Amino acid sequence: QLYLEMNSWALSDRFYYKIGLDYFSELNFLSSGKNTFALTFPTQWVWKITNRSSITTYLETQTKKEEDLRGDFTLLNEKQYSNHYVSCSYNHAGKWIVSGFYDREVTDGKIHQWPGLDFSYYLNSGSQISIYYGSQKGGLVCANGICAEQPGFEDGYKVTFRSLF
């Protein structure tokens, strides 16, 4: 895996950008016969409106190929994926955040989409409540060094309470 990133604050520390490039290659033709190749371009853009209010945008695009090989390295099956993700959030004075999400995946010509809208409110410095409406893609989700399988859902509501103690 190769990851390159460029980031910086600009315009008197009011604008932050992060642009990355990630190339992932996993060759398992001897053990499982499955090879994976992925190229990802993640970006983040932040505009500080005031000291405590900001607009944040994430844009990410990925192309991925999975190959199944026989013992003699003959290609049995190949899957091509294309993923595009965008989210835009407004943080108001560190008290609440409203975010829009759009996740799109194209697999073998089939298009899957997961749009959503989230409102999060900070009850105090250690507690937050969030209300989400939309769809979410299921699968492995990693945050803060912890990864877990999350179920997906279509056109539903999700209420989340987070508390640090």
Side-chain angles (χ1 to χ4, degrees):
Q1 184 168 4
L2 173 68
Y3 180 75
L4 302 171
E5 178 182 298
M6 179 176 65
N7 65 68
S8 182
W9 282 97
L11 303 174
S12 301
D13 287 343
R14 293 196 61 181
F15 178 69
Y16 173 80
Y17 65 90
K18 177 168 51 174
I19 302 169
L21 167 79
D22 184 81
Y23 177 73
F24 176 82
S25 178
E26 184 174 59
L27 304 173
N28 289 317
F29 49 81
L30 294 178
S31 60
S32 67
K34 206 173 230 208
N35 297 331
T36 303
F37 307 93
L39 182 62
T40 308
F41 296 98
T43 67
Q44 178 185 16
W45 312 87
V46 179
W47 180 259
K48 282 177 31 177
I49 299 167
T50 65
N51 279 343
R52 299 199 44 168
S53 296
S54 61
I55 295 173
T56 302
T57 301
Y58 294 97
L59 301 168
E60 183 172 304
T61 186
Q62 180 185 69
T63 57
K64 182 174 153 185
K65 179 171 71 168
E66 292 180 350
E67 299 175 335
D68 289 322
L69 302 175
R70 236 180 8 206
D72 63 356
F73 303 108
T74 304
L75 183 64
L76 293 173
N77 188 24
E78 181 179 281
K79 282 190 176 183
Q80 299 275 344
Y81 300 88
S82 174
N83 298 81
H84 305 284
Y85 175 82
V86 62
S87 75
C88 190
S89 300
Y90 171 71
N91 178 340
H92 182 75
K95 294 285 185 189
W96 55 267
I97 301 171
V98 64
S99 302
F101 304 90
Y102 181 72
D103 195 353
R104 181 176 190 257
E105 178 181 87
V106 179
T107 307
D108 299 328
K110 295 179 185 172
I111 298 173
H112 304 280
Q113 302 177 90
W114 299 273
L117 186 62
D118 182 83
F119 176 77
S120 297
Y121 182 77
Y122 291 91
L123 301 169
N124 55 46
S125 63
S127 298
Q128 176 191 61
I129 189 162
S130 298
I131 299 171
Y132 179 89
Y133 173 74
S135 300
Q136 285 185 322
K137 180 167 118 176
L140 188 64
V141 175
C142 299
N144 300 322
I146 299 172
C147 297
E149 281 289 327
Q150 297 291 321
F153 66 92
E154 299 288 327
D155 296 325
Y157 287 93
K158 181 166 75 169
V159 177
T160 305
F161 175 74
R162 294 177 192 88
S163 185
L164 301 173
F165 51 91

